[in-house]
Amino acid sequence: MSSAGSAPSSPLHTANVARMYNYLLGGRENYAADRQAAEHLLAMAPGTRELAVANRRFLERAVRHAVEQEGVRQFLDHGSGLPTADNVHQIAQRHDPSAHVVYIDNDPVVLAHGRALLADGPQTAMITADVRRIEQVLDHPDVKRLIDFSEPVAALFVSVLHCVPDSGDPPGIIRRVVDRLAPGSLVVLSHLVSEDERARRRLTDFLDGVTGGNWGRVRRPEEIASWLEGLELVEPGLVEVSAWRPDPGDVPGPQSSEWIELGAVARVP
Ligand code: SAM
């Protein structure tokens, strides 16, 4: 994609989280505004590119764990993002060809790029929906068609709920999904956090500004931990994403003083 020739009033002049993340991961589905914003972010918080890569690796390991170790074969990928090298259905179906996956994102750009790549068979679907209206997600015809809620489901919220402001009630979103899930289901969560109040404020304000208000909040680690209360944390619990069951050869995440990403897999009792 290219931003050449866009009018100044074009939405392409506003950065977008999905495309900034795509840029950080080395993808090509991004515009100049996304690249500029991402570079600015890298100057503010060096290590953010490694952090994005580590987050994606966490998602891959968590999905593989869900299929191989927990026998889960249904996935709801909330805030799925633009397609990357290895997407949830490819990881899951490699280990269990019968796996069903529904991708959910509120960004029409993700739908445009994702539909062909992500919804490439009768067992996968991609829908445009906002997780803040989670009942619309759970009652969507494609979700009803592909997901059997009487069987375990892995509900992925990987690097998405920091895009949701407090008014969107992120813990309530998780709770309302968990209420629908059968025992043995999983919540896979990752979220940007910082112990440093000034860093939280600076990064939140920056991302809110460059995305035109389509951002939530960098939160405190304790807030994220509280969202998983009542669920059984799979070992090693809520940790920096690269420390969650690393594979041989996985590198530790950046030791950024600005922010880190925490990740966990939690089982519905
Ligand atoms: N989950 C992927 C991963 O971790 O590799 C992509 C994460 S990307 C940082 C965040 C994604 O969440 C973007 O594609 C964005 O469009 C999507 N998103 C943000 N707010 C959302 C909302 N309220 N409802 C649905 N998707 C949302």
mmCIF file with all atom_site columns, all heavy atoms in Angstrom, residues 17-18 21 55-56 59 77-82 104-107 110 129-132 158-160 163-164, ligand 1:
data_model
loop_
_atom_site.group_PDB
_atom_site.id
_atom_site.type_symbol
_atom_site.label_atom_id
_atom_site.label_alt_id
_atom_site.label_comp_id
_atom_site.label_asym_id
_atom_site.label_entity_id
_atom_site.label_seq_id
_atom_site.pdbx_PDB_ins_code
_atom_site.Cartn_x
_atom_site.Cartn_y
_atom_site.Cartn_z
_atom_site.occupancy
_atom_site.B_iso_or_equiv
_atom_site.pdbx_formal_charge
_atom_site.auth_seq_id
_atom_site.auth_comp_id
_atom_site.auth_asym_id
_atom_site.auth_atom_id
_atom_site.pdbx_PDB_model_num
ATOM   1   N N   . VAL A 1 17  ? -4.017  1.445   14.417 1.00 0.00 ? 17  VAL A N   1
ATOM   2   C CA  . VAL A 1 17  ? -3.303  0.476   15.261 1.00 0.00 ? 17  VAL A CA  1
ATOM   3   C C   . VAL A 1 17  ? -2.943  -0.793  14.484 1.00 0.00 ? 17  VAL A C   1
ATOM   4   O O   . VAL A 1 17  ? -1.817  -1.289  14.579 1.00 0.00 ? 17  VAL A O   1
ATOM   5   C CB  . VAL A 1 17  ? -4.177  0.098   16.485 1.00 0.00 ? 17  VAL A CB  1
ATOM   6   C CG1 . VAL A 1 17  ? -3.537  -1.015  17.286 1.00 0.00 ? 17  VAL A CG1 1
ATOM   7   C CG2 . VAL A 1 17  ? -4.392  1.302   17.374 1.00 0.00 ? 17  VAL A CG2 1
ATOM   8   N N   . ALA A 1 18  ? -3.894  -1.304  13.694 1.00 0.00 ? 18  ALA A N   1
ATOM   9   C CA  . ALA A 1 18  ? -3.639  -2.557  12.964 1.00 0.00 ? 18  ALA A CA  1
ATOM   10  C C   . ALA A 1 18  ? -2.465  -2.373  12.008 1.00 0.00 ? 18  ALA A C   1
ATOM   11  O O   . ALA A 1 18  ? -1.594  -3.236  11.894 1.00 0.00 ? 18  ALA A O   1
ATOM   12  C CB  . ALA A 1 18  ? -4.897  -2.988  12.207 1.00 0.00 ? 18  ALA A CB  1
ATOM   13  N N   . TYR A 1 21  ? 0.955   -1.829  13.861 1.00 0.00 ? 21  TYR A N   1
ATOM   14  C CA  . TYR A 1 21  ? 1.430   -3.132  14.356 1.00 0.00 ? 21  TYR A CA  1
ATOM   15  C C   . TYR A 1 21  ? 1.981   -3.946  13.190 1.00 0.00 ? 21  TYR A C   1
ATOM   16  O O   . TYR A 1 21  ? 3.031   -4.588  13.303 1.00 0.00 ? 21  TYR A O   1
ATOM   17  C CB  . TYR A 1 21  ? 0.249   -3.826  15.037 1.00 0.00 ? 21  TYR A CB  1
ATOM   18  C CG  . TYR A 1 21  ? 0.535   -5.168  15.656 1.00 0.00 ? 21  TYR A CG  1
ATOM   19  C CD1 . TYR A 1 21  ? 1.340   -5.294  16.784 1.00 0.00 ? 21  TYR A CD1 1
ATOM   20  C CD2 . TYR A 1 21  ? -0.047  -6.319  15.138 1.00 0.00 ? 21  TYR A CD2 1
ATOM   21  C CE1 . TYR A 1 21  ? 1.570   -6.532  17.365 1.00 0.00 ? 21  TYR A CE1 1
ATOM   22  C CE2 . TYR A 1 21  ? 0.177   -7.564  15.720 1.00 0.00 ? 21  TYR A CE2 1
ATOM   23  C CZ  . TYR A 1 21  ? 0.976   -7.660  16.825 1.00 0.00 ? 21  TYR A CZ  1
ATOM   24  O OH  . TYR A 1 21  ? 1.202   -8.889  17.406 1.00 0.00 ? 21  TYR A OH  1
ATOM   25  N N   . ASN A 1 55  ? 5.102   -10.500 21.235 1.00 0.00 ? 55  ASN A N   1
ATOM   26  C CA  . ASN A 1 55  ? 3.672   -10.705 21.449 1.00 0.00 ? 55  ASN A CA  1
ATOM   27  C C   . ASN A 1 55  ? 3.108   -11.695 20.439 1.00 0.00 ? 55  ASN A C   1
ATOM   28  O O   . ASN A 1 55  ? 2.312   -12.570 20.755 1.00 0.00 ? 55  ASN A O   1
ATOM   29  C CB  . ASN A 1 55  ? 2.932   -9.367  21.342 1.00 0.00 ? 55  ASN A CB  1
ATOM   30  C CG  . ASN A 1 55  ? 1.436   -9.543  21.419 1.00 0.00 ? 55  ASN A CG  1
ATOM   31  O OD1 . ASN A 1 55  ? 0.911   -9.934  22.451 1.00 0.00 ? 55  ASN A OD1 1
ATOM   32  N ND2 . ASN A 1 55  ? 0.745   -9.314  20.304 1.00 0.00 ? 55  ASN A ND2 1
ATOM   33  N N   . ARG A 1 56  ? 3.536   -11.552 19.189 1.00 0.00 ? 56  ARG A N   1
ATOM   34  C CA  . ARG A 1 56  ? 3.036   -12.452 18.148 1.00 0.00 ? 56  ARG A CA  1
ATOM   35  C C   . ARG A 1 56  ? 3.506   -13.888 18.407 1.00 0.00 ? 56  ARG A C   1
ATOM   36  O O   . ARG A 1 56  ? 2.783   -14.851 18.193 1.00 0.00 ? 56  ARG A O   1
ATOM   37  C CB  . ARG A 1 56  ? 3.516   -11.941 16.787 1.00 0.00 ? 56  ARG A CB  1
ATOM   38  C CG  . ARG A 1 56  ? 2.857   -12.584 15.607 1.00 0.00 ? 56  ARG A CG  1
ATOM   39  C CD  . ARG A 1 56  ? 1.382   -12.218 15.474 1.00 0.00 ? 56  ARG A CD  1
ATOM   40  N NE  . ARG A 1 56  ? 0.659   -13.231 14.740 1.00 0.00 ? 56  ARG A NE  1
ATOM   41  C CZ  . ARG A 1 56  ? -0.660  -13.230 14.525 1.00 0.00 ? 56  ARG A CZ  1
ATOM   42  N NH1 . ARG A 1 56  ? -1.422  -12.263 14.991 1.00 0.00 ? 56  ARG A NH1 1
ATOM   43  N NH2 . ARG A 1 56  ? -1.233  -14.181 13.863 1.00 0.00 ? 56  ARG A NH2 1
ATOM   44  N N   . LEU A 1 59  ? 1.313   -15.386 21.003 1.00 0.00 ? 59  LEU A N   1
ATOM   45  C CA  . LEU A 1 59  ? 0.043   -15.853 20.421 1.00 0.00 ? 59  LEU A CA  1
ATOM   46  C C   . LEU A 1 59  ? 0.230   -17.229 19.770 1.00 0.00 ? 59  LEU A C   1
ATOM   47  O O   . LEU A 1 59  ? -0.575  -18.137 19.976 1.00 0.00 ? 59  LEU A O   1
ATOM   48  C CB  . LEU A 1 59  ? -0.467  -14.829 19.402 1.00 0.00 ? 59  LEU A CB  1
ATOM   49  C CG  . LEU A 1 59  ? -1.733  -15.183 18.624 1.00 0.00 ? 59  LEU A CG  1
ATOM   50  C CD1 . LEU A 1 59  ? -2.562  -13.937 18.335 1.00 0.00 ? 59  LEU A CD1 1
ATOM   51  C CD2 . LEU A 1 59  ? -1.443  -15.891 17.312 1.00 0.00 ? 59  LEU A CD2 1
ATOM   52  N N   . ASP A 1 77  ? -10.849 -15.164 17.766 1.00 0.00 ? 77  ASP A N   1
ATOM   53  C CA  . ASP A 1 77  ? -9.660  -14.295 17.796 1.00 0.00 ? 77  ASP A CA  1
ATOM   54  C C   . ASP A 1 77  ? -10.112 -12.838 17.753 1.00 0.00 ? 77  ASP A C   1
ATOM   55  O O   . ASP A 1 77  ? -10.295 -12.262 16.675 1.00 0.00 ? 77  ASP A O   1
ATOM   56  C CB  . ASP A 1 77  ? -8.750  -14.654 16.606 1.00 0.00 ? 77  ASP A CB  1
ATOM   57  C CG  . ASP A 1 77  ? -7.434  -13.893 16.639 1.00 0.00 ? 77  ASP A CG  1
ATOM   58  O OD1 . ASP A 1 77  ? -7.185  -13.165 17.620 1.00 0.00 ? 77  ASP A OD1 1
ATOM   59  O OD2 . ASP A 1 77  ? -6.657  -14.027 15.670 1.00 0.00 ? 77  ASP A OD2 1
ATOM   60  N N   . HIS A 1 78  ? -10.334 -12.257 18.939 1.00 0.00 ? 78  HIS A N   1
ATOM   61  C CA  . HIS A 1 78  ? -10.817 -10.873 19.036 1.00 0.00 ? 78  HIS A CA  1
ATOM   62  C C   . HIS A 1 78  ? -9.679  -9.897  18.751 1.00 0.00 ? 78  HIS A C   1
ATOM   63  O O   . HIS A 1 78  ? -8.635  -9.981  19.385 1.00 0.00 ? 78  HIS A O   1
ATOM   64  C CB  . HIS A 1 78  ? -11.363 -10.599 20.439 1.00 0.00 ? 78  HIS A CB  1
ATOM   65  C CG  . HIS A 1 78  ? -12.482 -11.510 20.864 1.00 0.00 ? 78  HIS A CG  1
ATOM   66  N ND1 . HIS A 1 78  ? -12.269 -12.667 21.569 1.00 0.00 ? 78  HIS A ND1 1
ATOM   67  C CD2 . HIS A 1 78  ? -13.815 -11.420 20.666 1.00 0.00 ? 78  HIS A CD2 1
ATOM   68  C CE1 . HIS A 1 78  ? -13.424 -13.263 21.801 1.00 0.00 ? 78  HIS A CE1 1
ATOM   69  N NE2 . HIS A 1 78  ? -14.391 -12.532 21.261 1.00 0.00 ? 78  HIS A NE2 1
ATOM   70  N N   . GLY A 1 79  ? -9.890  -8.966  17.819 1.00 0.00 ? 79  GLY A N   1
ATOM   71  C CA  . GLY A 1 79  ? -8.832  -8.025  17.451 1.00 0.00 ? 79  GLY A CA  1
ATOM   72  C C   . GLY A 1 79  ? -7.723  -8.763  16.729 1.00 0.00 ? 79  GLY A C   1
ATOM   73  O O   . GLY A 1 79  ? -6.548  -8.696  17.092 1.00 0.00 ? 79  GLY A O   1
ATOM   74  N N   . SER A 1 80  ? -8.112  -9.481  15.684 1.00 0.00 ? 80  SER A N   1
ATOM   75  C CA  . SER A 1 80  ? -7.183  -10.416 15.019 1.00 0.00 ? 80  SER A CA  1
ATOM   76  C C   . SER A 1 80  ? -6.047  -9.702  14.303 1.00 0.00 ? 80  SER A C   1
ATOM   77  O O   . SER A 1 80  ? -4.971  -10.265 14.137 1.00 0.00 ? 80  SER A O   1
ATOM   78  C CB  . SER A 1 80  ? -7.943  -11.292 14.029 1.00 0.00 ? 80  SER A CB  1
ATOM   79  O OG  . SER A 1 80  ? -8.737  -10.498 13.171 1.00 0.00 ? 80  SER A OG  1
ATOM   80  N N   . GLY A 1 81  ? -6.274  -8.462  13.847 1.00 0.00 ? 81  GLY A N   1
ATOM   81  C CA  . GLY A 1 81  ? -5.233  -7.726  13.127 1.00 0.00 ? 81  GLY A CA  1
ATOM   82  C C   . GLY A 1 81  ? -5.123  -8.171  11.679 1.00 0.00 ? 81  GLY A C   1
ATOM   83  O O   . GLY A 1 81  ? -5.850  -9.055  11.216 1.00 0.00 ? 81  GLY A O   1
ATOM   84  N N   . LEU A 1 82  ? -4.194  -7.539  10.975 1.00 0.00 ? 82  LEU A N   1
ATOM   85  C CA  . LEU A 1 82  ? -3.941  -7.893  9.577  1.00 0.00 ? 82  LEU A CA  1
ATOM   86  C C   . LEU A 1 82  ? -3.271  -9.261  9.511  1.00 0.00 ? 82  LEU A C   1
ATOM   87  O O   . LEU A 1 82  ? -2.547  -9.636  10.432 1.00 0.00 ? 82  LEU A O   1
ATOM   88  C CB  . LEU A 1 82  ? -3.045  -6.827  8.940  1.00 0.00 ? 82  LEU A CB  1
ATOM   89  C CG  . LEU A 1 82  ? -3.766  -5.506  8.659  1.00 0.00 ? 82  LEU A CG  1
ATOM   90  C CD1 . LEU A 1 82  ? -2.792  -4.339  8.606  1.00 0.00 ? 82  LEU A CD1 1
ATOM   91  C CD2 . LEU A 1 82  ? -4.553  -5.600  7.350  1.00 0.00 ? 82  LEU A CD2 1
ATOM   92  N N   . ILE A 1 104 ? -12.167 -11.690 14.431 1.00 0.00 ? 104 ILE A N   1
ATOM   93  C CA  . ILE A 1 104 ? -13.026 -10.536 14.699 1.00 0.00 ? 104 ILE A CA  1
ATOM   94  C C   . ILE A 1 104 ? -12.143 -9.301  14.756 1.00 0.00 ? 104 ILE A C   1
ATOM   95  O O   . ILE A 1 104 ? -11.145 -9.290  15.490 1.00 0.00 ? 104 ILE A O   1
ATOM   96  C CB  . ILE A 1 104 ? -13.738 -10.702 16.068 1.00 0.00 ? 104 ILE A CB  1
ATOM   97  C CG1 . ILE A 1 104 ? -14.566 -11.991 16.095 1.00 0.00 ? 104 ILE A CG1 1
ATOM   98  C CG2 . ILE A 1 104 ? -14.596 -9.473  16.395 1.00 0.00 ? 104 ILE A CG2 1
ATOM   99  C CD1 . ILE A 1 104 ? -14.210 -12.915 17.220 1.00 0.00 ? 104 ILE A CD1 1
ATOM   100 N N   . ASP A 1 105 ? -12.507 -8.273  14.023 1.00 0.00 ? 105 ASP A N   1
ATOM   101 C CA  . ASP A 1 105 ? -11.781 -7.008  14.120 1.00 0.00 ? 105 ASP A CA  1
ATOM   102 C C   . ASP A 1 105 ? -12.755 -5.896  13.744 1.00 0.00 ? 105 ASP A C   1
ATOM   103 O O   . ASP A 1 105 ? -13.646 -6.099  12.919 1.00 0.00 ? 105 ASP A O   1
ATOM   104 C CB  . ASP A 1 105 ? -10.559 -6.995  13.184 1.00 0.00 ? 105 ASP A CB  1
ATOM   105 C CG  . ASP A 1 105 ? -9.465  -6.049  13.680 1.00 0.00 ? 105 ASP A CG  1
ATOM   106 O OD1 . ASP A 1 105 ? -9.656  -4.817  13.576 1.00 0.00 ? 105 ASP A OD1 1
ATOM   107 O OD2 . ASP A 1 105 ? -8.428  -6.540  14.184 1.00 0.00 ? 105 ASP A OD2 1
ATOM   108 N N   . ASN A 1 106 ? -12.572 -4.720  14.338 1.00 0.00 ? 106 ASN A N   1
ATOM   109 C CA  . ASN A 1 106 ? -13.495 -3.626  14.020 1.00 0.00 ? 106 ASN A CA  1
ATOM   110 C C   . ASN A 1 106 ? -12.966 -2.750  12.883 1.00 0.00 ? 106 ASN A C   1
ATOM   111 O O   . ASN A 1 106 ? -13.593 -1.763  12.527 1.00 0.00 ? 106 ASN A O   1
ATOM   112 C CB  . ASN A 1 106 ? -13.817 -2.773  15.254 1.00 0.00 ? 106 ASN A CB  1
ATOM   113 C CG  . ASN A 1 106 ? -12.623 -1.975  15.746 1.00 0.00 ? 106 ASN A CG  1
ATOM   114 O OD1 . ASN A 1 106 ? -11.493 -2.272  15.390 1.00 0.00 ? 106 ASN A OD1 1
ATOM   115 N ND2 . ASN A 1 106 ? -12.886 -0.987  16.578 1.00 0.00 ? 106 ASN A ND2 1
ATOM   116 N N   . ASP A 1 107 ? -11.813 -3.105  12.338 1.00 0.00 ? 107 ASP A N   1
ATOM   117 C CA  . ASP A 1 107 ? -11.188 -2.267  11.324 1.00 0.00 ? 107 ASP A CA  1
ATOM   118 C C   . ASP A 1 107 ? -11.530 -2.804  9.924  1.00 0.00 ? 107 ASP A C   1
ATOM   119 O O   . ASP A 1 107 ? -11.136 -3.924  9.589  1.00 0.00 ? 107 ASP A O   1
ATOM   120 C CB  . ASP A 1 107 ? -9.673  -2.300  11.558 1.00 0.00 ? 107 ASP A CB  1
ATOM   121 C CG  . ASP A 1 107 ? -8.931  -1.370  10.627 1.00 0.00 ? 107 ASP A CG  1
ATOM   122 O OD1 . ASP A 1 107 ? -9.506  -0.991  9.593  1.00 0.00 ? 107 ASP A OD1 1
ATOM   123 O OD2 . ASP A 1 107 ? -7.773  -1.044  10.930 1.00 0.00 ? 107 ASP A OD2 1
ATOM   124 N N   . VAL A 1 110 ? -8.768  -4.380  7.970  1.00 0.00 ? 110 VAL A N   1
ATOM   125 C CA  . VAL A 1 110 ? -8.440  -5.763  8.317  1.00 0.00 ? 110 VAL A CA  1
ATOM   126 C C   . VAL A 1 110 ? -9.359  -6.712  7.559  1.00 0.00 ? 110 VAL A C   1
ATOM   127 O O   . VAL A 1 110 ? -8.925  -7.733  7.013  1.00 0.00 ? 110 VAL A O   1
ATOM   128 C CB  . VAL A 1 110 ? -8.549  -5.986  9.846  1.00 0.00 ? 110 VAL A CB  1
ATOM   129 C CG1 . VAL A 1 110 ? -8.421  -7.457  10.197 1.00 0.00 ? 110 VAL A CG1 1
ATOM   130 C CG2 . VAL A 1 110 ? -7.480  -5.180  10.568 1.00 0.00 ? 110 VAL A CG2 1
ATOM   131 N N   . ALA A 1 129 ? -16.564 -6.527  13.633 1.00 0.00 ? 129 ALA A N   1
ATOM   132 C CA  . ALA A 1 129 ? -17.391 -6.235  14.799 1.00 0.00 ? 129 ALA A CA  1
ATOM   133 C C   . ALA A 1 129 ? -16.509 -5.603  15.862 1.00 0.00 ? 129 ALA A C   1
ATOM   134 O O   . ALA A 1 129 ? -15.280 -5.748  15.828 1.00 0.00 ? 129 ALA A O   1
ATOM   135 C CB  . ALA A 1 129 ? -18.022 -7.516  15.342 1.00 0.00 ? 129 ALA A CB  1
ATOM   136 N N   . ASP A 1 130 ? -17.155 -4.898  16.774 1.00 0.00 ? 130 ASP A N   1
ATOM   137 C CA  . ASP A 1 130 ? -16.449 -4.204  17.840 1.00 0.00 ? 130 ASP A CA  1
ATOM   138 C C   . ASP A 1 130 ? -16.597 -5.012  19.133 1.00 0.00 ? 130 ASP A C   1
ATOM   139 O O   . ASP A 1 130 ? -17.721 -5.325  19.537 1.00 0.00 ? 130 ASP A O   1
ATOM   140 C CB  . ASP A 1 130 ? -17.071 -2.806  18.006 1.00 0.00 ? 130 ASP A CB  1
ATOM   141 C CG  . ASP A 1 130 ? -16.202 -1.905  18.851 1.00 0.00 ? 130 ASP A CG  1
ATOM   142 O OD1 . ASP A 1 130 ? -15.733 -2.348  19.918 1.00 0.00 ? 130 ASP A OD1 1
ATOM   143 O OD2 . ASP A 1 130 ? -16.006 -0.743  18.444 1.00 0.00 ? 130 ASP A OD2 1
ATOM   144 N N   . VAL A 1 131 ? -15.470 -5.345  19.756 1.00 0.00 ? 131 VAL A N   1
ATOM   145 C CA  . VAL A 1 131 ? -15.551 -6.154  20.977 1.00 0.00 ? 131 VAL A CA  1
ATOM   146 C C   . VAL A 1 131 ? -16.291 -5.431  22.102 1.00 0.00 ? 131 VAL A C   1
ATOM   147 O O   . VAL A 1 131 ? -16.738 -6.064  23.051 1.00 0.00 ? 131 VAL A O   1
ATOM   148 C CB  . VAL A 1 131 ? -14.162 -6.621  21.470 1.00 0.00 ? 131 VAL A CB  1
ATOM   149 C CG1 . VAL A 1 131 ? -13.497 -7.537  20.465 1.00 0.00 ? 131 VAL A CG1 1
ATOM   150 C CG2 . VAL A 1 131 ? -13.266 -5.451  21.836 1.00 0.00 ? 131 VAL A CG2 1
ATOM   151 N N   . ARG A 1 132 ? -16.445 -4.108  21.961 1.00 0.00 ? 132 ARG A N   1
ATOM   152 C CA  . ARG A 1 132 ? -17.215 -3.395  22.986 1.00 0.00 ? 132 ARG A CA  1
ATOM   153 C C   . ARG A 1 132 ? -18.691 -3.758  22.920 1.00 0.00 ? 132 ARG A C   1
ATOM   154 O O   . ARG A 1 132 ? -19.425 -3.558  23.874 1.00 0.00 ? 132 ARG A O   1
ATOM   155 C CB  . ARG A 1 132 ? -17.036 -1.878  22.826 1.00 0.00 ? 132 ARG A CB  1
ATOM   156 C CG  . ARG A 1 132 ? -15.680 -1.406  23.322 1.00 0.00 ? 132 ARG A CG  1
ATOM   157 C CD  . ARG A 1 132 ? -15.405 0.010   22.966 1.00 0.00 ? 132 ARG A CD  1
ATOM   158 N NE  . ARG A 1 132 ? -15.190 0.167   21.536 1.00 0.00 ? 132 ARG A NE  1
ATOM   159 C CZ  . ARG A 1 132 ? -14.830 1.302   20.945 1.00 0.00 ? 132 ARG A CZ  1
ATOM   160 N NH1 . ARG A 1 132 ? -14.673 2.394   21.663 1.00 0.00 ? 132 ARG A NH1 1
ATOM   161 N NH2 . ARG A 1 132 ? -14.642 1.348   19.653 1.00 0.00 ? 132 ARG A NH2 1
ATOM   162 N N   . VAL A 1 158 ? -5.609  -10.897 22.324 1.00 0.00 ? 158 VAL A N   1
ATOM   163 C CA  . VAL A 1 158 ? -4.164  -10.709 22.275 1.00 0.00 ? 158 VAL A CA  1
ATOM   164 C C   . VAL A 1 158 ? -3.870  -9.310  21.739 1.00 0.00 ? 158 VAL A C   1
ATOM   165 O O   . VAL A 1 158 ? -4.202  -8.995  20.592 1.00 0.00 ? 158 VAL A O   1
ATOM   166 C CB  . VAL A 1 158 ? -3.498  -11.807 21.412 1.00 0.00 ? 158 VAL A CB  1
ATOM   167 C CG1 . VAL A 1 158 ? -1.984  -11.606 21.369 1.00 0.00 ? 158 VAL A CG1 1
ATOM   168 C CG2 . VAL A 1 158 ? -3.817  -13.188 21.984 1.00 0.00 ? 158 VAL A CG2 1
ATOM   169 N N   . SER A 1 159 ? -3.337  -8.487  22.625 1.00 0.00 ? 159 SER A N   1
ATOM   170 C CA  . SER A 1 159 ? -2.932  -7.124  22.249 1.00 0.00 ? 159 SER A CA  1
ATOM   171 C C   . SER A 1 159 ? -4.106  -6.320  21.705 1.00 0.00 ? 159 SER A C   1
ATOM   172 O O   . SER A 1 159 ? -3.933  -5.515  20.794 1.00 0.00 ? 159 SER A O   1
ATOM   173 C CB  . SER A 1 159 ? -1.811  -7.190  21.198 1.00 0.00 ? 159 SER A CB  1
ATOM   174 O OG  . SER A 1 159 ? -0.734  -6.412  21.590 1.00 0.00 ? 159 SER A OG  1
ATOM   175 N N   . VAL A 1 160 ? -5.283  -6.542  22.232 1.00 0.00 ? 160 VAL A N   1
ATOM   176 C CA  . VAL A 1 160 ? -6.435  -5.777  21.737 1.00 0.00 ? 160 VAL A CA  1
ATOM   177 C C   . VAL A 1 160 ? -7.070  -4.925  22.828 1.00 0.00 ? 160 VAL A C   1
ATOM   178 O O   . VAL A 1 160 ? -7.512  -3.798  22.552 1.00 0.00 ? 160 VAL A O   1
ATOM   179 C CB  . VAL A 1 160 ? -7.496  -6.696  21.068 1.00 0.00 ? 160 VAL A CB  1
ATOM   180 C CG1 . VAL A 1 160 ? -8.009  -7.773  21.994 1.00 0.00 ? 160 VAL A CG1 1
ATOM   181 C CG2 . VAL A 1 160 ? -8.662  -5.884  20.530 1.00 0.00 ? 160 VAL A CG2 1
ATOM   182 N N   . CYS A 1 163 ? -6.454  -1.328  23.399 1.00 0.00 ? 163 CYS A N   1
ATOM   183 C CA  . CYS A 1 163 ? -7.076  -0.405  22.431 1.00 0.00 ? 163 CYS A CA  1
ATOM   184 C C   . CYS A 1 163 ? -8.462  0.028   22.909 1.00 0.00 ? 163 CYS A C   1
ATOM   185 O O   . CYS A 1 163 ? -9.116  0.858   22.259 1.00 0.00 ? 163 CYS A O   1
ATOM   186 C CB  . CYS A 1 163 ? -7.229  -1.066  21.065 1.00 0.00 ? 163 CYS A CB  1
ATOM   187 S SG  . CYS A 1 163 ? -5.724  -1.724  20.363 1.00 0.00 ? 163 CYS A SG  1
ATOM   188 N N   . VAL A 1 164 ? -8.949  -0.566  23.982 1.00 0.00 ? 164 VAL A N   1
ATOM   189 C CA  . VAL A 1 164 ? -10.314 -0.289  24.455 1.00 0.00 ? 164 VAL A CA  1
ATOM   190 C C   . VAL A 1 164 ? -10.236 0.576   25.714 1.00 0.00 ? 164 VAL A C   1
ATOM   191 O O   . VAL A 1 164 ? -9.627  0.175   26.716 1.00 0.00 ? 164 VAL A O   1
ATOM   192 C CB  . VAL A 1 164 ? -11.055 -1.613  24.753 1.00 0.00 ? 164 VAL A CB  1
ATOM   193 C CG1 . VAL A 1 164 ? -12.434 -1.339  25.340 1.00 0.00 ? 164 VAL A CG1 1
ATOM   194 C CG2 . VAL A 1 164 ? -11.161 -2.458  23.483 1.00 0.00 ? 164 VAL A CG2 1
HETATM 195 N N1  . SAM B 2 .   ? -4.252  -9.894  17.948 1.00 0.00 ? 1   SAM B N1  1
HETATM 196 C C1  . SAM B 2 .   ? -3.253  -9.605  16.941 1.00 0.00 ? 1   SAM B C1  1
HETATM 197 C C2  . SAM B 2 .   ? -1.898  -9.912  17.501 1.00 0.00 ? 1   SAM B C2  1
HETATM 198 O O1  . SAM B 2 .   ? -1.721  -9.821  18.722 1.00 0.00 ? 1   SAM B O1  1
HETATM 199 O O2  . SAM B 2 .   ? -0.989  -10.239 16.730 1.00 0.00 ? 1   SAM B O2  1
HETATM 200 C C3  . SAM B 2 .   ? -3.358  -8.161  16.458 1.00 0.00 ? 1   SAM B C3  1
HETATM 201 C C4  . SAM B 2 .   ? -3.164  -7.112  17.528 1.00 0.00 ? 1   SAM B C4  1
HETATM 202 S S1  . SAM B 2 .   ? -3.258  -5.429  16.928 1.00 0.00 ? 1   SAM B S1  1
HETATM 203 C C5  . SAM B 2 .   ? -2.129  -4.633  17.996 1.00 0.00 ? 1   SAM B C5  1
HETATM 204 C C6  . SAM B 2 .   ? -4.832  -4.889  17.620 1.00 0.00 ? 1   SAM B C6  1
HETATM 205 C C7  . SAM B 2 .   ? -6.011  -5.186  16.730 1.00 0.00 ? 1   SAM B C7  1
HETATM 206 O O3  . SAM B 2 .   ? -7.217  -4.981  17.475 1.00 0.00 ? 1   SAM B O3  1
HETATM 207 C C8  . SAM B 2 .   ? -6.109  -4.257  15.516 1.00 0.00 ? 1   SAM B C8  1
HETATM 208 O O4  . SAM B 2 .   ? -6.264  -5.012  14.352 1.00 0.00 ? 1   SAM B O4  1
HETATM 209 C C9  . SAM B 2 .   ? -7.335  -3.405  15.794 1.00 0.00 ? 1   SAM B C9  1
HETATM 210 O O5  . SAM B 2 .   ? -8.027  -3.049  14.615 1.00 0.00 ? 1   SAM B O5  1
HETATM 211 C C10 . SAM B 2 .   ? -8.158  -4.336  16.660 1.00 0.00 ? 1   SAM B C10 1
HETATM 212 N N2  . SAM B 2 .   ? -9.120  -3.624  17.526 1.00 0.00 ? 1   SAM B N2  1
HETATM 213 C C11 . SAM B 2 .   ? -8.896  -2.497  18.253 1.00 0.00 ? 1   SAM B C11 1
HETATM 214 N N3  . SAM B 2 .   ? -10.002 -2.148  18.931 1.00 0.00 ? 1   SAM B N3  1
HETATM 215 C C12 . SAM B 2 .   ? -10.949 -3.070  18.622 1.00 0.00 ? 1   SAM B C12 1
HETATM 216 C C13 . SAM B 2 .   ? -12.310 -3.229  18.991 1.00 0.00 ? 1   SAM B C13 1
HETATM 217 N N4  . SAM B 2 .   ? -12.908 -2.365  19.830 1.00 0.00 ? 1   SAM B N4  1
HETATM 218 N N5  . SAM B 2 .   ? -12.995 -4.282  18.480 1.00 0.00 ? 1   SAM B N5  1
HETATM 219 C C14 . SAM B 2 .   ? -12.394 -5.153  17.625 1.00 0.00 ? 1   SAM B C14 1
HETATM 220 N N6  . SAM B 2 .   ? -11.107 -5.045  17.232 1.00 0.00 ? 1   SAM B N6  1
HETATM 221 C C15 . SAM B 2 .   ? -10.383 -4.016  17.721 1.00 0.00 ? 1   SAM B C15 1
#
